[in-house]
Amino acid sequence: MFDDPFNVLAALFAIAAFLVAIKASNQVTELRRRLSSLEATLQAQRPIQPPPVPLPEQVLTTTAAAAPPPLAPEAEPVSPPPLVTDPVTPPPIETSTDNIAPPPVPAAEPGFEERLGTRWVVWIGGLALALGGFFMVRYSIEAGLVGPGVRVFLGGLFALALLGAGEWTRRKESISSMAALPIANIPAILTAAGTAVAFATIYAAYALYGFLVPATAFVLLGLVALGTLAAALLHGPALAGLGVIGAFVTPALVSSGKPDYWALYVYLAIVTAASFGLARIRLWRWLAVTTIAFAVLWILPGLDAGELQVAPHAFHVIAGFVLAALLVVCGFMFGPTIGDGEIEPVSSSSLGAYLFGAMLIVLSSAHADLALIAFTLLVAATLFVAWRAPAATGALGAAAATVFIVFAEWAVRANPDMLVLPGGPLPGVGPAAIDSAVTLHLVMAAIFAAGFGIAGFLAQGRSNSAIIPVVWSAAAVATPIAILVALYARIAHLDRSIPFAILAVLLAAAFGAATEALTRRETRPGVAVSTALFATGTLGALALALTFALEKGWLTIALALMSLGTAWISMQRPIPFLRWLAAAFAAIVTARIGYDPRIVGADVGTTPIFNWLLWGYGLPALSFWAASHFLHRRGDDAPLRMVEAAAILFTALLAFMEIRHFATGGRMTSPPSLLEFALQVCVMLAMAIGLERLRLRSHSVVHKVGAVILTVIAGLISVFGLLILENPLLWSRTDVGGLVFNLLLLGYALPAVLMLLLSYAVVGERGRTYANTIASGALVFALAYVTLEIRRFYHGPILLGGETTGAEQYTYSIGWLAFGVVLLGVGIFVNSERARLASAAVIALTILKAFVIDMSTLTGVYRALSFMCLGIVLVAIGWLYQRILFRRQVAPPPAPQTST
């Protein structure tokens, strides 16, 4: 059926060899365990040597010697009891060791030669026999040696010969009491090779040469499958594994020019039934999983065909699903038994695998009607099987996921413009040729939403296990919401849609009614979590209603409000899942702004502050702060920290984006300016101060780290933005404004004040170096403000350009000196060592300027006045330090001594 089947053969037989090796290793381990157990049992059964029994004379002597003396001399002698003269015969002691078996000698590990001769050659021989039959058929076809009838006849004879040889060797070993080697069982391998050849022969007679009608082929293949089942019951799992692999590889080896998918899938259905039956009888999970994997893989080649044949593919997934439900799912029909309330992985994954195959058929057929109907039937059957057999409850997750993928893929396809009219999205669905697919999808959506929702609600209280009702409720909440979002994206193109908003409100009402009904029920396992999930679905549907009815930017707000609502519900119902759900909503909103930081694209608006940024960032920030408050009441954990981090992030981004919008006049892509950098630094420092105060009460590590991050961001913007890139004294020709109230006050004076406040806020709470670094930044910005303000006085609003006169240089020195004196006065007044050290630094810088710059650039009276003022100030500072700060106390003269 494929051009090069030998590559497929090599890969599949390599897989088979790997599985057989694993099986062999497990069996060797089991044999060693049994041998150790047998040795321990024999050791415990060995007789223990009893202690020697004393003779009667020894007993009498010991008794007489131990007789107590008389109590009093006046007492009459007490006659001793009569002695027993009959000797006591002790029990015989067995000294024979004839019946004691010697401990077994552990068998030596097989060497290389033994492995080669007893195992490897057997495996290779079995493979060679099967391949020889296949290659002989291929060679006869290519060389034209014999006709089709003879080929089929010879293939049948070869299969019968292999089967007869396998049965003869099995009986021979049984008669001669010869122990077979489990991992290289010659009868099993011969029988497996014969089974594979028989499958290939019958399939070739039907599909290649047309010798058999479908009914005859079905009967013959069924007989071979039943024979394989019976043989595997006798020969063990090795035959089952090789037989299944050979049966699934057969269609790839016997290829034809034009694939007949009906013949292929009828054949695979029979093989699957035989494999599932054997797996059920012997309880071999690995066989069921292997069969399901091969069956699903056989769907993929047909999906690549030029024209997809939906009917045979739909038959294949439906037949496999039915067989899995009948024979594999525990607790349903003929499946194995299982304890009450347990979710069995193989039962759930078997149904999920065929649902996945049905989904692939729907996607590959461009949502053909027959594929959609088959997919709908399988989803409905999954709900039914999971309802009757709790072991398959895990398949609900696969069903919900595949439903969402089908509708999401349909939603992202190109939409005809006629589906959306100005009057609303739904009136576009009319009698056009393409509307049948739309109508079918809408009917499917209604069926899926109602089926998952109603079944999920009715399943509450039916199980003694907590996980099963939770899975039902999660599917009942997630599936209708996901379908509604997909339909909205497909039909309404993510624009405003009042009909979809109404549907969301109705869905919220249904979830709310379910929440209220579950609240009134008696306490059952899992009901509390299910109630919380339905309540969360209510909030989610209401958020979608807002999103559908309003602009698309409200989706961010709606998700943030869902986080707040979930946090509030978690306070009423202390369920850990709800805390993580609130954190998940916060993460989704954060990812949403990463996709489009402007929330609504270019439609932000031009009004400062009161624009879409305020709602898109402000409302989520408020929601996350409130959510963190609710979550904090139940403890400090990872979900709380995630929500707190989102609250800090959105608050910072709100300030950043609003400042950018204000500074650029709504043109968000414009380059930054001095005004923007100044506002950003001030706001970041103010937020850092707020977080430093807040963390003293909350003791939150997120607030602690967030304050540091905001401080670092403010420091980077201060250095690279204000002092370098947009410094009006270096290369920026920015108009700083008026003489006093200007950008210099906003960009340098105010940040200096905020840095000083921040340094005092962290004193005693963080390291000394951290606080001193921030205080040093305040000093630098304060000195920069003094310098730039003097420059503004001499040069006007444009500081760059113009000659620096002697008067300006002298003013710089006087200004710096005055600033240092003011710092010294503040340090003396409030007894602050840091202020006095800052004063010393400024005055030292002034001295350096006087001797380096003023001496070379100033002339005349300005040079003299500069040094005279500097000298006077330095002497005054020295006097202050000597007389006030470090005044030495003169010791009083000693009192005169009076003689007595």
Side-chain angles (χ1 to χ4, degrees):
M1 192 167 295
F2 301 99
D3 296 335
D4 191 4
F6 294 98
N7 292 333
V8 179
L9 173 68
L12 291 177
F13 273 108
I15 296 174
F18 178 71
L19 295 176
V20 170
I22 293 177
K23 184 66 177 179
S25 176
N26 294 337
Q27 290 179 343
V28 169
T29 303
E30 179 65 17
L31 289 175
R32 290 178 178 175
R33 186 189 65 80
R34 291 183 178 181
L35 181 59
S36 300
S37 177
L38 181 60
E39 290 179 354
T41 303
L42 293 176
Q43 187 69 22
Q45 291 178 353
R46 294 182 62 184
I48 302 174
Q49 187 72 19
V53 179
L55 297 177
E57 294 80 0
Q58 297 175 352
V59 174
L60 296 177
T61 305
T62 305
T63 305
L71 297 178
E74 295 82 11
E76 296 181 359
V78 180
S79 61
L83 298 178
V84 180
T85 59
D86 296 335
V88 179
T89 305
I93 302 174
E94 296 182 1
T95 58
S96 176
T97 59
D98 296 338
N99 297 328
I100 301 177
V105 179
E109 289 290 334
F112 173 77
E113 183 179 1
E114 182 179 356
R115 293 177 185 272
L116 178 64
T118 61
R119 306 180 187 185
W120 297 350
V121 295
V122 175
W123 301 335
I124 298 174
L127 293 178
L129 287 173
L131 288 175
F134 298 146
F135 292 153
M136 180 60 69
V137 173
R138 183 182 180 92
Y139 173 73
S140 65
I141 294 174
E142 294 175 350
L145 299 178
V146 294
V150 178
R151 297 171 197 162
V152 173
F153 178 73
L154 293 177
L157 287 180
F158 185 57
L160 290 176
L162 290 175
L163 293 174
E167 181 63 19
W168 181 80
T169 54
R170 186 187 69 83
R171 294 188 178 185
K172 191 71 174 178
E173 291 179 354
S174 177
I175 294 174
S176 60
S177 301
M178 181 184 299
L181 191 61
I183 61 176
N185 193 338
I186 295 176
I189 292 178
L190 291 175
T191 307
T195 302
V197 174
F199 273 121
T201 302
I202 297 174
Y203 181 74
Y206 165 66
L208 295 181
Y209 308 122
F211 293 155
L212 302 176
V213 296
T216 305
F218 182 85
V219 172
L220 291 178
L221 289 174
L223 291 176
V224 174
L226 293 177
T228 304
L229 173 62
L233 289 173
L234 295 175
H235 293 279
L239 175 62
L242 294 177
V244 167
I245 294 175
F248 278 102
V249 171
T250 297
L253 296 176
V254 186
S255 60
S256 61
K258 184 179 180 181
D260 187 351
Y261 288 103
W262 274 114
L264 170 65
Y265 289 141
V266 168
Y267 165 78
L268 292 181
I270 297 174
V271 172
T272 302
S275 300
F276 282 168
L278 177 59
R280 170 63 186 89
I281 294 174
R282 299 299 295 268
L283 297 179
W284 289 338
R285 291 186 176 184
W286 63 269
L287 181 58
V289 173
T290 304
T291 304
I292 294 170
F294 276 113
V296 174
L297 286 176
W298 266 112
I299 301 175
L300 302 179
L303 301 180
D304 296 333
E307 183 178 354
L308 180 63
Q309 301 178 19
V310 178
H313 287 78
F315 164 77
H316 176 54
V317 295
I318 292 176
F321 185 95
V322 171
L323 290 173
L326 293 177
L327 299 173
V328 177
V329 176
C330 298
F332 184 79
M333 298 300 290
F334 307 108
T337 58
I338 194 173
D340 185 22
E342 297 183 17
I343 298 180
E344 204 272 321
V346 176
S347 301
S348 301
S349 60
S350 62
L351 302 183
Y354 287 104
L355 284 172
F356 176 74
M359 179 197 71
L360 293 180
I361 297 172
V362 172
L363 301 182
S364 300
S365 64
H367 294 249
D369 290 352
L370 182 58
L372 289 174
I373 293 173
F375 177 71
T376 304
L377 291 176
L378 291 188
V379 173
T382 302
L383 294 178
F384 174 74
V385 174
W387 181 273
R388 296 292 302 273
T393 306
L396 294 175
T402 52
V403 166
F404 172 72
I405 293 174
V406 166
F407 279 92
E409 195 271 344
W410 179 67
V412 299
R413 288 177 176 270
N415 290 296
D417 295 336
M418 65 180 65
L419 291 180
V420 180
L421 296 180
L426 292 181
V429 180
I434 198 172
D435 290 341
S436 60
V438 176
T439 303
L440 182 58
H441 279 80
L442 293 178
V443 172
M444 287 177 53
I447 293 175
F448 288 148
F452 277 93
I454 295 175
F457 173 74
L458 296 179
Q460 305 304 312
R462 295 183 66 249
S463 176
N464 294 325
S465 175
I467 186 62
I468 292 178
V470 170
V471 173
W472 275 103
S473 58
V477 172
T479 307
I481 291 179
I483 292 175
L484 185 60
V485 171
L487 293 177
Y488 168 71
R490 166 75 182 197
I491 298 177
H493 294 280
L494 301 180
D495 289 333
R496 292 181 66 250
S497 174
I498 299 302
F500 275 101
I502 295 174
L503 290 177
V505 171
L506 294 177
L507 185 60
F511 287 153
T515 304
E516 184 65 21
L518 292 178
T519 305
R520 296 178 179 178
R521 289 188 179 182
E522 61 178 353
T523 303
R524 294 280 295 173
V527 173
V529 180
S530 300
T531 305
L533 287 174
F534 277 105
T536 305
T538 305
L539 296 175
L542 290 176
L544 288 178
L546 292 176
T547 304
F548 297 158
L550 303 174
E551 297 295 334
K552 58 184 179 181
W554 286 97
L555 177 60
T556 304
I557 300 174
L559 293 175
L561 292 176
M562 289 176 64
S563 178
L564 171 60
T566 308
W568 180 80
I569 295 174
S570 69
M571 186 180 64
Q572 307 299 323
R573 304 270 183 180
I575 302 172
F577 168 75
L578 293 178
R579 300 175 67 87
W580 282 106
L581 186 60
F585 284 133
I588 293 173
V589 176
T590 304
R592 165 70 177 85
I593 64 168
Y595 171 74
D596 184 7
R598 295 178 296 179
I599 305 296
V600 290
D603 301 330
V604 176
T606 58
T607 305
I609 307 301
F610 297 99
N611 48 51
W612 246 107
L613 297 173
L614 179 62
W615 316 119
Y617 285 96
L619 290 180
L622 289 176
S623 299
F624 294 146
W625 281 113
S628 65
H629 174 72
F630 291 140
L631 294 177
H632 190 267
R633 295 185 179 182
R634 294 288 182 180
D636 186 4
D637 53 4
L640 170 63
R641 296 172 184 176
M642 293 175 62
V643 176
E644 287 179 340
I648 297 174
L649 176 63
F650 270 79
T651 305
L653 289 177
L654 171 64
F656 177 84
M657 298 298 289
E658 285 286 9
I659 289 171
R660 179 148 189 79
H661 182 274
F662 172 76
T664 59
R667 297 181 294 273
M668 304 294 290
T669 58
S670 300
S673 61
L674 177 62
L675 174 62
E676 181 178 352
F677 283 147
L679 291 174
Q680 287 175 356
V681 170
C682 292
V683 171
M684 293 297 152
L685 290 174
M687 291 178 59
I689 294 173
L691 284 179
E692 291 290 353
R693 297 299 184 186
L694 179 61
R695 75 178 184 90
L696 298 179
R697 293 185 298 172
S698 65
H699 303 287
S700 172
V701 66
V702 176
H703 295 163
K704 181 178 180 180
V705 175
V708 175
I709 293 176
L710 291 177
T711 303
V712 171
I713 293 174
L716 294 176
I717 298 176
S718 300
V719 173
F720 293 100
L722 297 177
L723 296 180
I724 299 177
L725 295 179
E726 292 297 325
N727 192 332
L729 190 58
L730 297 180
W731 42 62
S732 175
R733 302 189 64 86
T734 303
D735 187 345
V736 299
L739 184 60
V740 177
F741 298 99
N742 49 35
L743 288 179
L744 302 177
L745 183 67
L746 180 64
Y748 297 91
L750 186 56
V753 174
L754 292 173
M755 290 179 186
L756 183 62
L757 295 177
L758 180 59
S759 67
Y760 278 102
V762 300
V763 169
E765 301 295 333
R766 298 186 184 271
R768 184 181 182 89
T769 304
Y770 183 77
N772 290 338
T773 302
I774 299 174
S776 300
L779 178 62
V780 171
F781 269 78
L783 188 61
Y785 172 71
V786 172
T787 304
L788 294 174
E789 191 64 31
I790 294 173
R791 183 79 176 180
R792 168 64 182 84
F793 178 78
Y794 281 96
H795 292 266
I798 306 297
L799 305 186
L800 188 62
E803 183 182 359
T804 303
T805 62
E808 183 179 348
Q809 284 287 3
Y810 175 71
T811 308
Y812 288 141
S813 300
I814 295 299
W816 290 7
L817 195 58
F819 179 57
V821 172
V822 170
L823 288 177
L824 180 59
V826 172
I828 295 174
F829 182 75
V830 300
N831 194 21
S832 173
E833 181 182 4
R834 288 200 301 173
R836 297 194 298 268
L837 292 176
S839 170
V842 173
I843 293 175
L845 184 61
T846 306
I847 296 172
L848 181 64
K849 177 182 178 298
F851 284 93
V852 174
I853 298 177
D854 293 354
M855 184 175 292
S856 59
T857 58
L858 295 181
T859 59
V861 67
Y862 289 114
R863 178 187 297 179
L865 290 175
S866 175
F867 280 90
M868 289 173 59
C869 292
L870 179 61
I872 294 173
V873 171
L874 293 178
V875 172
I877 292 173
W879 183 85
L880 288 173
Y881 271 86
Q882 293 178 7
R883 302 296 179 180
I884 298 177
L885 293 177
F886 301 101
R887 181 173 56 185
R888 296 184 178 180
Q889 298 291 338
V890 179
Q897 296 181 358
T898 58
S899 59
T900 56

